[in-house]
């Protein structure tokens, strides 16, 4: 009986994730989109005076950690086809753009010299989340 349990466990570990590489990229893009939406909400709440610096900065920091982690995960995904390579490269670029928008948001709420204006940050966060959402939708159609 113990042998059957061990065999079942081994076989379960050998099953690829749903959608393979493109599925992994899709799920990562979806997760990162949520992270960017959280960052956007935190920034807008701060900008509208509905949140404190500390709350907004913590949320932005958490979102940044999520995006940089997602970028690292995507960089480690093995790709074998041209479509997978292009998709991974696009995901890495969009994740980097999202992380950059979050860094800009943190600079703005900290009133760092040379920080972007609130309107520019709002626009960058919205655009980045939109691009990641479109990418996850496109990737989801490929697998």
């Amino acid at each position: 009986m113990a042998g059957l349990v061990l065999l079942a466990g081994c076989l379960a570990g050998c099953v690829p994730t749903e959608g393979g590489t493109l599925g992994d990229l899709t799920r990562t893009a979806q997760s990162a989109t949520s992270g960017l939406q959280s960052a956007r909400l935190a920034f807008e709440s701060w900008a509208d005076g509905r949140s404190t610096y500390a709350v907004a900065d913590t949320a932005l920091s958490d979102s940044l950690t999520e995006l940089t982690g997602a970028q690292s995960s995507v960089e480690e995904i093995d790709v074998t086809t041209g479509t997978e390579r292009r998709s991974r490269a696009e995901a890495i670029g969009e994740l980097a753009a999202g992380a950059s928008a979050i860094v800009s948001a943190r600079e703005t709420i900290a009133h760092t010299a040379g920080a972007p204006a609130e309107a520019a940050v709002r626009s960058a966060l919205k655009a980045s989340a939109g691009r990641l959402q479109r990418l996850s939708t496109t990737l989801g159609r490929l697998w």
Side-chain angles (χ1 to χ4, degrees), residues 7-34:
L7 177 61
C10 288
L11 290 176
C14 297
V15 176
T17 57
E18 186 178 355
T21 298
L22 293 174
D24 290 344
L25 290 171
T26 301
R27 286 182 290 278
T28 301
Q30 289 169 337
S31 176
T33 299
S34 294

Side-chain angles (χ1 to χ4, degrees), residues 17-33 70-95 132-133 135-140 142-143:
T17 57
E18 186 178 355
T21 298
L22 293 174
D24 290 344
L25 290 171
T26 301
R27 286 182 290 278
T28 301
Q30 289 169 337
S31 176
T33 299
Q71 186 174 354
S72 294
S73 294
V74 168
E75 289 169 350
E76 294 173 6
I77 293 174
D78 290 327
V79 294
T80 55
T81 69
T83 299
E84 291 172 349
R85 272 188 285 286
R86 286 187 299 278
S87 297
R88 182 179 67 179
E90 187 175 355
I92 290 169
E94 293 301 342
L95 291 166
L132 265 174
Q133 179 61 51
L135 176 62
S136 67
T137 300
T138 300
L139 290 171
L142 293 175
W143 62 276

Side-chain angles (χ1 to χ4, degrees), residues 34-44 56 59-60 63-64 102 105 125:
S34 294
L36 268 167
Q37 293 292 11
S38 295
R40 185 176 168 206
L41 179 62
F43 182 79
E44 290 178 356
L60 290 169
S63 294
L64 182 60
I102 294 171
L125 289 169

Side-chain angles (χ1 to χ4, degrees), residues 44-136:
E44 290 178 356
S45 293
W46 172 84
D48 295 341
R50 294 179 285 129
S51 178
T52 65
Y53 165 81
V55 170
D57 189 55
T58 298
L60 290 169
S61 178
D62 291 348
S63 294
L64 182 60
T65 298
E66 184 174 345
L67 259 69
T68 55
Q71 186 174 354
S72 294
S73 294
V74 168
E75 289 169 350
E76 294 173 6
I77 293 174
D78 290 327
V79 294
T80 55
T81 69
T83 299
E84 291 172 349
R85 272 188 285 286
R86 286 187 299 278
S87 297
R88 182 179 67 179
E90 187 175 355
I92 290 169
E94 293 301 342
L95 291 166
S100 179
I102 294 171
V103 168
S104 293
R106 290 187 77 198
E107 291 171 348
T108 298
I109 70 169
H111 303 292
T112 302
E118 288 177 21
V121 172
R122 284 180 194 254
S123 178
L125 289 169
K126 181 179 180 179
S128 188
R131 287 191 310 268
L132 265 174
Q133 179 61 51
R134 285 188 296 280
L135 176 62
S136 67

